[in-house]
Amino acid sequence: MAGSKHSGSKKGSGRLDEIGGYKVLPVRFGSSDAESATHFIYFKQHNNSRDEILMPPSRTLFMYNLPADTSERDIKRLFQGLARVARVVFHE
């Protein structure tokens, strides 16, 4: 995800589209519009009663369609200035 930046799905509105209960976060890759590509990351509130103490639903996101080389650093950079990321857990 290096070289990525968030790009709102609706120009100027700051609102994200929603599909099947997931918010759609478009992320642009590339240094210029001519060389850029948009990748879509889907996320929703994580609900798992088994891990509720370690991952409270009010502070946890479930994300998918992340690029295979995504790292914890990439996720923290994605949310920089929006929210503090305390921990990232990747599941196989």
Side-chain angles (χ1 to χ4, degrees):
M1 278 184 47
S4 65
K5 63 182 178 178
H6 173 315
S7 150
S9 63
K10 297 188 190 266
K11 290 190 177 184
S13 73
R15 295 186 136 177
L16 298 175
D17 291 334
E18 191 169 323
I19 298 174
Y22 287 87
K23 299 278 186 185
V24 181
L25 179 66
V27 179
R28 297 196 71 149
F29 293 89
S31 57
S32 69
D33 285 338
E35 298 175 359
S36 68
T38 302
H39 182 85
F40 297 94
I41 297 173
Y42 304 91
F43 68 94
K44 68 178 181 177
Q45 182 177 349
H46 183 260
N47 293 315
N48 185 349
S49 59
R50 183 183 69 184
D51 297 324
E52 202 164 295
I53 292 172
L54 297 173
M55 295 186 280
S58 62
R59 298 183 55 208
T60 308
L61 292 177
F62 174 78
M63 302 173 75
Y64 79 93
N65 200 35
L66 295 168
D69 63 344
T70 300
S71 68
E72 182 171 344
R73 182 176 173 213
D74 294 326
I75 299 297
K76 287 182 176 185
R77 191 178 310 139
L78 184 66
F79 287 99
Q80 187 175 0
L82 301 173
R84 184 175 81 80
V85 177
R87 183 171 63 138
V88 176
V89 178
F90 292 98
H91 294 280
E92 298 292 321

